[in-house]
Amino acid sequence: MKQLYCSPLSPDILIFSFFLLTYLMLFVKQAGPHPWAIENYALVAKYPTAQIIAEDIFSSGAIKSATDFQVYKEIAGLSGLDFAYMENTAVYHTKNDRLKLLKPGSLQHLGENMLAFLLHAAASSNLPKDKGESSQDKSIYFDILGTYLITFRQRVANMLYNSVILQSLLIWTTSLLMGGYTAAISLALSCLSVILMWICSIGFSIIAAFILPLVCSSPVPFVASPWLVVGLFGAPALLGAFIGHHMGYLILQSYLSCTFVGRKRNLPMIVKSDVAKLDAERWLYKTGLLQWLILLTVGNYYKIGSSYLALAWLISPAFAYGLLEATLSPARLPKPLKTLTLLIGLSIPFLLSSGMIIRLTGTVIGTAVRFERNPGSTPEWLGTVIIALFVAAIICFTMVYLMSYVHISDAKLPIIVGTCILFAISLGAAWMGVVPPFREDTARAVNVVHVVDAAETYNEKPVSYISLFSSTPGNLVKEADQIGEGFVCGRDRFQDFVTFSVNYSCWTDKGAQTGWVASDIPAISVEKDTKDENRITQIIIDTKLSTRWSLGINTKEIDDFLLKDAADLSDELIPLGEKSSVDGWHIIQFSGGPKAPTKFTLTLFWNKTRAAITSDYEEEEKENLLLRIRTDFDRQTPQIEKVLKKLPLWCSLFGKSTSPHTLAFLSSLPVDF
């Protein structure tokens, strides 16, 4: 952990070196902060695949993790691109993540893209010298079928979006003024149909999500077979969207029929009814435009990069409608919407969105195997409900125009019957185990840890046991029964691993007293404690032989701290300064090589006032602790070896940096030491 020094380099060379060292993946999911990188990559890459929506998701904080790219971008201020392979994300951070999964074609594409880019960058005389952190310099980028990569700056996007929004508002205002209160009420009722579409679509898909844990062995039976999501959630979401939209259509048609009675007295009653249906169909189509206009306005206000999708879903259908359907004569009777209008209007949006939707859906499904950061802390249905909401949102966004064509066609009954049959088949396949939730190559993420817990005993004999827990939703009864070895499952044993906690697990004491020695337990000793107005405590932390450990510092008690290598006090590993805090704790993670230090001096600067202790029992216990530490050993004890040999094939060890190794020691220091 010594500091590294190097000779000063120009920003140009640093940027070039960053590309050379970090281009190990294929799909561009983040870029910047300077737009030079992505813009030049777009010029020369032969098989470009990049979507700014991935960057928007990372920036929003929806993904509680980071990549190596963010160290360069946020700390060093360097520009570059972040690549990742986007297939089979369920194996990520598990032992199933093997080199054989890399497709030769993907590696070839990577090589050709990078060779072209590096040759272009090496010959360029326009390498940027500034960091390009201005929001106006942000680059918007997306690919078209992996063949063309489109990029443009945020300032161009602002002008384009503002122009489209203003023109759309002008058109809507003019049409409502010309149509009077009748048009205003028709618009309101057509908006009601879209609202009902969203409510019913989300409601039906969530009901399906709650049914799954009741009838299936796993609450996420679709991980190994992502296509099941189409039937389990897509079918009920589509059925709900149609039913809700149709209810709104019937209300709108009823109102329009009444208005036509007064306005078109010379028309036969049957003709008035048919005209009302056609007029309702057009209003529903136009309300789809309004939905995307609202989304574009919100995205433009918050400067969301993926707002280009809302632009495409607004402009193309609006152009098709204006070209083939619109009329300036209010006296002209409406006609059925042309199929050509739908084909022209949706071709470009689907071209831009389909690949991204498929990739994103696959990624969301794959993350189900590691959904629970703190195993057992969330309901089993939560991850499934999130996926159901995601699928319902896709249905409501992309099918809003198509829905307006269905209500006066003969497709209503086939839609109802087809979606019901598809849902029944998918649910039956998951229920009867025809399609297993996990397979050997797409397995459930589990951790098997020999825990030596001295955290709550303080100088007493530590508690030792084998723990089995999973970040994948669902209980572990089936896995524990197959392993045997006396495992008991439940929520009776809360485990605090510093970086995360475990509320549900399986554990056994069988064979847990061998394979470790007490001298490996980390030691926390108070060397000096000055109890005055500005209390300062100096602590020695000895991780023994472990060079991979996690330390939690109670920031409700400690205002600031200083961490040094005990063998070299001049080496400040963490200097004084503002410290971050999550749920009242600052977490330090350390991972070093064989020669890394194992003894540290921690100087604590106490708060002058102590925070009130929460009434929750588990939180109360943690509040009484000043320090929590976990040391990891990549060592298999005899009992761990037995358990791993009996581990079901559908389970794979989870190996994220915050996860413990197969042998972990826990210790702590109370506030009132």
Side-chain angles (χ1 to χ4, degrees):
M1 293 295 294
K2 301 288 185 181
Q3 290 183 344
L4 300 179
Y5 297 93
C6 59
S7 58
L9 298 175
S10 70
D12 301 353
I13 298 178
L14 286 173
I15 292 172
F16 179 78
S17 300
F18 172 67
F19 287 134
L20 184 63
L21 294 173
T22 60
Y23 265 162
L24 302 177
M25 299 180 182
L26 189 58
F27 176 79
V28 180
K29 60 181 181 181
Q30 294 185 89
H34 200 287
W36 180 91
I38 188 67
E39 289 175 351
N40 282 269
Y41 180 78
L43 290 175
V44 296
K46 295 185 177 181
Y47 309 101
T49 304
Q51 291 286 348
I52 195 173
I53 190 171
E55 181 176 335
D56 288 338
I57 294 173
F58 264 91
S59 301
S60 68
I63 299 179
K64 304 297 182 181
S65 63
T67 68
D68 296 336
F69 171 76
Q70 288 173 269
V71 177
Y72 291 93
K73 179 181 177 181
E74 297 175 4
I75 298 178
L78 299 179
S79 292
L81 305 175
D82 190 11
F83 281 70
Y85 287 112
M86 296 299 291
E87 292 185 15
N88 203 6
T89 56
V91 305
Y92 185 52
H93 280 314
T94 70
K95 285 197 171 183
N96 285 331
D97 197 354
R98 302 184 179 97
L99 286 175
K100 69 178 184 180
L101 296 177
L102 291 177
K103 297 180 179 179
S106 296
L107 294 175
Q108 182 66 32
H109 287 181
L110 171 63
E112 293 188 31
N113 285 348
M114 295 322 304
L115 178 60
F117 176 77
L118 291 175
L119 290 175
H120 177 77
S124 176
S125 60
N126 297 317
L127 293 176
K129 298 184 182 298
D130 57 58
K131 296 182 179 180
E133 294 179 343
S134 170
S135 60
Q136 298 301 315
D137 286 332
K138 177 182 176 181
S139 184
I140 312 298
Y141 54 90
F142 57 91
D143 70 278
I144 301 177
L145 300 180
T147 304
Y148 301 100
L149 185 56
I150 309 298
T151 66
F152 52 94
R153 299 286 181 95
Q154 182 65 52
R155 62 169 61 92
V156 176
N158 292 341
M159 292 188 293
L160 180 60
Y161 298 164
N162 288 333
S163 175
V164 171
I165 292 171
L166 290 175
Q167 291 182 58
S168 299
L169 292 176
L170 179 61
I171 293 173
W172 274 105
T173 303
T174 304
S175 62
L176 290 177
L177 289 175
M178 292 178 60
Y181 76 93
T182 302
I185 296 176
S186 299
L187 177 61
L189 293 177
S190 58
C191 288
L192 175 63
S193 68
V194 173
I195 294 173
L196 292 174
M197 175 186 72
W198 276 88
I199 293 175
C200 292
S201 181
I202 292 174
F204 278 42
S205 58
I206 287 180
I207 290 173
F210 278 107
I211 290 175
L212 283 182
L214 300 177
V215 301
C216 300
S217 60
S218 170
V220 286
F222 43 78
V223 173
S225 304
W227 56 267
L228 270 179
V229 170
V230 177
L232 292 176
F233 304 127
L238 180 60
L239 177 61
F242 166 70
I243 291 176
H245 207 262
H246 191 66
M247 287 191 297
Y249 163 78
L250 294 177
I251 296 173
L252 176 60
Q253 178 201 344
S254 176
Y255 170 75
L256 291 175
S257 297
C258 294
T259 59
F260 276 121
V261 170
R263 291 165 49 198
K264 308 288 183 181
R265 298 180 183 275
N266 56 331
L267 292 178
M269 185 59 66
I270 188 172
V271 175
K272 292 179 181 178
S273 177
D274 292 338
V275 169
K277 292 179 181 179
L278 297 177
D279 202 27
E281 181 183 52
R282 289 172 172 269
W283 272 110
L284 294 178
Y285 186 96
K286 290 186 288 186
T287 308
L289 299 174
L290 184 60
Q291 171 182 275
W292 283 104
L293 174 61
I294 294 172
L295 197 65
L296 177 62
T297 304
V298 173
N300 182 51
Y301 179 80
Y302 289 103
K303 300 296 182 288
I304 299 174
S306 48
S307 298
Y308 76 89
L309 289 170
L311 180 72
W313 281 91
L314 172 62
I315 290 294
S316 184
F319 173 79
Y321 185 87
L323 180 67
L324 301 174
E325 307 290 352
T327 175
L328 296 177
S329 173
R332 181 180 173 183
L333 294 178
K335 295 181 179 179
L337 290 175
K338 302 179 181 66
T339 305
L340 185 61
T341 303
L342 193 67
L343 295 176
I344 295 177
L346 299 188
S347 57
I348 294 178
F350 270 111
L351 183 68
L352 295 178
S353 307
S354 55
M356 180 270 296
I357 290 174
I358 293 172
R359 284 194 212 104
L360 194 56
T361 304
T363 301
V364 171
I365 295 172
T367 56
V369 300
R370 52 187 179 277
F371 174 76
E372 293 189 312
R373 176 179 176 84
N374 301 300
S377 62
T378 57
E380 289 187 352
W381 47 261
L382 183 59
T384 310
V385 166
I386 291 175
I387 295 176
L389 288 172
F390 176 77
V391 173
I394 291 176
I395 293 293
C396 291
F397 278 131
T398 59
M399 296 294 175
V400 65
Y401 297 114
L402 184 61
M403 286 293 171
S404 60
Y405 280 74
V406 175
H407 306 296
I408 59 175
S409 68
D410 296 327
K412 295 186 288 295
L413 183 60
I415 288 177
I416 296 174
V417 174
T419 52
C420 290
I421 291 175
L422 181 58
F423 174 70
I425 293 175
S426 302
L427 185 62
W431 176 30
M432 293 184 292
V434 176
V435 181
F438 307 104
R439 295 193 301 262
E440 184 176 358
D441 58 342
T442 308
R444 179 176 192 173
V446 298
N447 287 91
V448 182
V449 185
H450 192 150
V451 180
V452 181
D453 189 357
E456 299 181 4
T457 54
Y458 320 121
N459 301 323
E460 297 179 11
K461 186 177 180 181
V463 178
S464 179
Y465 54 91
I466 311 299
S467 180
L468 172 67
F469 55 91
S470 175
S471 57
T472 306
N475 63 57
L476 291 163
V477 175
K478 185 178 180 180
E479 289 78 2
D481 288 344
Q482 179 161 331
I483 295 172
E485 298 299 326
F487 273 101
V488 177
C489 300
R491 299 178 178 271
D492 302 331
R493 178 163 282 176
F494 174 80
Q495 301 167 65
D496 181 6
F497 285 100
V498 182
T499 56
F500 67 100
S501 61
V502 176
N503 295 272
Y504 173 86
S505 64
C506 301
W507 63 89
T508 179
D509 298 329
K510 183 179 179 180
Q513 302 305 319
T514 60
W516 59 276
V517 292
S519 59
D520 286 337
I521 298 175
I524 304 176
S525 58
V526 179
E527 188 175 69
K528 183 179 180 182
D529 186 29
T530 305
K531 294 185 178 181
D532 54 22
E533 184 179 356
N534 297 316
R535 185 179 180 183
I536 301 175
T537 302
Q538 194 170 49
I539 293 175
I540 299 297
I541 297 177
D542 188 354
T543 62
K544 303 302 174 71
L545 298 178
S546 175
T547 58
R548 183 183 188 267
W549 49 267
S550 300
L551 176 68
I553 301 175
N554 190 342
T555 55
K556 293 182 179 179
E557 302 287 347
I558 302 302
D559 183 59
D560 202 355
F561 63 87
L562 176 66
L563 182 67
K564 295 183 179 181
D565 181 352
D568 184 4
L569 294 178
S570 63
D571 187 5
E572 295 185 356
L573 302 178
I574 300 180
L576 292 173
E578 184 178 351
K579 300 298 191 298
S580 61
S581 174
V582 177
D583 297 329
W585 290 87
H586 180 93
I587 305 298
I588 302 172
Q589 288 183 260
F590 183 98
S591 183
K595 297 182 179 180
T598 58
K599 218 169 195 180
F600 306 88
T601 299
L602 178 65
T603 305
L604 303 175
F605 299 85
W606 292 67
N607 291 330
K608 294 183 179 180
T609 58
R610 297 178 62 171
I613 299 177
T614 177
S615 59
D616 181 79
Y617 175 75
E618 292 172 357
E619 289 299 321
E620 183 176 340
E621 290 296 309
K622 291 171 66 175
E623 289 289 344
N624 288 329
L625 298 178
L626 183 66
L627 301 176
R628 300 145 51 210
I629 190 170
R630 184 191 85 219
T631 55
D632 295 329
F633 290 84
D634 193 9
R635 182 194 308 165
Q636 292 186 8
T637 62
Q639 186 61 19
I640 284 287
E641 289 182 355
K642 286 184 182 179
V643 173
L644 291 179
K645 287 180 181 178
K646 296 181 179 180
L647 195 67
L649 295 177
W650 66 83
C651 294
S652 179
L653 292 181
F654 188 50
K656 198 173 182 181
S657 61
T658 55
S659 299
H661 283 322
T662 49
L663 177 59
F665 292 86
L666 306 177
S667 188
S668 62
L669 181 70
V671 172
D672 298 322
F673 53 81

